[in-house]
Amino acid sequence: MTEYGIHASHEQIPPAELLAAVVAAERAGFEAAMCSDHFSPWSRRQGESAFAWSWLGAALQATNLSFGVVNAPGQRYHPAIIAQAIGTLGAMYPGRFWAALGSGEYSNEHITGDPWPRKEVREARLLECVDVLRDLLAGEEVTRDGLVKVDRARLWTRPEVSPPLIGAAVSTKTAAWCARWADGLVTVNAPEDHLRAMISQYRDAGGRGPICLQVHLSWAPTQHEAEAIAHDQWRSNIFAPPVCWDLETVDHFDVVSENVTVEQVGKVVNISADLEEHVEKLRGYAALGFDRIYLHHVGQDLIPFVETFGSKVLPALR
């Protein structure tokens, strides 16, 4: 049975409002949650970017939902600090937390002032970070002198069972690569052929654990409103890698997205005022074999979405 959760976008919504939304989502019947972890939004219209790890402690305390976060260790975050954060949340909320790991985006990582490595170097660095995380969470003292440097680090507070470390991927090549080290896979909505290939590449390469999908969608009472929400909030997010990896600032995203149309946004966001259309889309994703599907309404007012999908969409999916 597919589990349906909500995605909490720190780049779009102030943290107190986002916390209220996930509390409402649990009441409405959502079973899980995940969130982003950025230093910067993708546009000035989004206008937020709270610290995910502080918020996660509050969200886990305020609900009984499981939570995940998509994190990029290695540049903005030292992996020993991320291991400490994962270990603390895992110890406080056993079985309810997971972390998805990716190689990062320059818009968040440039703040350190360090050069932005090539993709293959970022992936090598991520693998080193995964090894550091696993060893620290296993209770070992860790020293490293590679792309990541660690000096005699040890976690003194650890969970009895380490939270899963899930691979974040948008390409089939990366999905297969994640199978080497990950406890599961998370990706974003795309045409069904691509999603089917993502699943098969991960599983065929020996990938284990749950396969998760984050679905970008826009709903409102009228089609015009749903389109306006998606175009306002998500037109700077339509660009495929390497563009989305390598742009530096909010202003860069806003410039390159000036002439993006609603039709273009509709290729990456499921835009519809028709709830049955959303139900059918979600049923299709579940039929592909996704274990967890996290719904990301790209608007900044989540409560109408939470209440409507909780009362009319989630029951139709179960």
Side-chain angles (χ1 to χ4, degrees), residues 3 9 37 110 125 169 229:
E3 184 177 69
S9 177
D37 179 8
H110 73 80
R125 181 174 67 183
I229 288 168

Side-chain angles (χ1 to χ4, degrees), residues 225-268:
E225 289 175 279
E227 290 175 352
I229 288 168
H231 189 249
D232 177 71
Q233 284 294 294
W234 217 247
R235 67 177 180 264
S236 55
N237 296 65
I238 71 162
F239 304 101
V243 175
C244 60
W245 293 336
D246 293 340
L247 290 181
E248 296 177 40
T249 68
V250 164
D251 292 338
H252 292 172
F253 278 98
D254 281 339
V255 167
V256 300
S257 61
E258 279 181 353
N259 298 314
V260 169
T261 65
V262 170
E263 290 72 25
Q264 288 174 294
V265 178
K267 293 179 180 179
V268 299

Side-chain angles (χ1 to χ4, degrees), residues 96-120:
R96 291 177 53 203
F97 179 70
W98 53 269
L101 306 176
S103 58
E105 296 174 333
Y106 194 35
S107 61
N108 300 305
E109 309 306 322
H110 73 80
I111 62 166
T112 66
D114 294 326
W116 182 232
R118 300 184 308 277
K119 175 64 172 173
E120 62 269 25

